[in-house]
Amino acid sequence: MKRSRDRAASELFAALYPRLAGWCRRLVDDDETAHEIASEAFTRLWARWTSVEEPRGFLYVTAANLVRDHWRKVERERRAMRRATTEAAVRPHTEQSDPSVRLLVQSLPERLRVPILLHYYADMPIREVSVLTGRKEGTVKADLHAARELLRVHLRRSLDPTL
């Protein structure tokens, strides 16, 4: 039993790790971090192996959450660096809006962020996103639409603060 479980986990790893790590790489823009996130997602899957019904969905949702945590950490470090630089310069620093799509996606609520990451960053069809998230296809489509609208509004605002 344990041998077949190990073999199944090994086959799943061989089949999914390269794509998952590549997806993470596009999101975090760093090979080492991407591999750490993908490895951590597999480690968490292995810890729950017997209770996870959809391993692929579990991996991608877990990786999406780990990517979000990484983005938050990077943003905290960026703010701390900005503060330190500003204090060292002893002059007011005008905070520029960062219209980065990555930061805007990061700011979305999880309900909208996960479908965006799976559909647009992992190139999964809506049907597959529906299965992985346990939501109906219509709900996924509505969430994608709502997320695109929020992103559009935020992007416009960040480019033109008078809006």
Side-chain angles (χ1 to χ4, degrees):
M1 180 82 168
K2 183 177 181 338
R3 190 176 303 253
S4 67
R5 189 178 100 164
D6 289 350
R7 185 173 38 250
S10 179
E11 288 170 2
L12 183 75
F13 183 85
L16 296 182
Y17 184 85
R19 187 171 179 204
L20 181 67
W23 179 66
C24 292
R25 169 69 174 86
R26 288 194 306 274
L27 294 172
V28 299
D29 201 29
D30 178 65
D31 283 336
E32 187 176 332
T33 303
H35 285 286
E36 286 175 11
I37 289 171
S39 297
E40 178 64 21
F42 270 95
T43 300
R44 291 182 184 190
L45 171 63
W46 182 247
R48 295 165 183 79
W49 184 252
T50 56
S51 63
V52 173
E53 290 183 34
E54 179 53 60
R56 186 167 186 252
F58 179 90
L59 286 168
Y60 274 91
V61 170
T62 300
N65 289 332
L66 292 168
V67 164
R68 181 201 59 222
D69 293 345
H70 170 76
W71 285 346
R72 285 179 177 165
K73 177 184 172 210
V74 167
E75 185 56 29
R76 281 192 307 270
E77 290 169 353
R78 200 176 285 141
R79 279 192 208 120
M81 185 59 81
R82 240 185 261 131
R83 260 193 314 275
T85 305
T86 300
E87 290 167 6
V90 191
R91 60 181 164 84
H93 176 71
T94 56
E95 187 84 20
Q96 290 185 328
S97 298
D98 185 355
S100 162
V101 173
R102 180 177 299 172
L103 291 175
L104 295 176
V105 169
Q106 174 187 344
S107 72
L108 290 172
E110 184 172 355
R111 175 182 68 81
L112 303 177
R113 184 180 56 253
V114 170
I116 286 283
L117 291 173
L118 294 175
H119 184 64
Y120 290 107
Y121 287 84
D123 298 323
M124 291 184 185
I126 289 174
R127 183 179 336 99
E128 198 168 346
V129 174
S130 170
V131 170
L132 293 178
T133 60
R135 300 179 190 154
K136 294 180 180 176
E137 285 185 38
T139 302
V140 170
K141 289 177 185 178
D143 288 346
L144 288 170
H145 175 75
R148 285 190 305 268
E149 287 303 310
L150 275 174
L151 291 172
R152 188 174 294 124
V153 167
H154 287 302
L155 189 56
R156 277 195 192 124
R157 251 190 231 133
S158 66
L159 293 174
D160 185 356
T162 61
L163 292 176

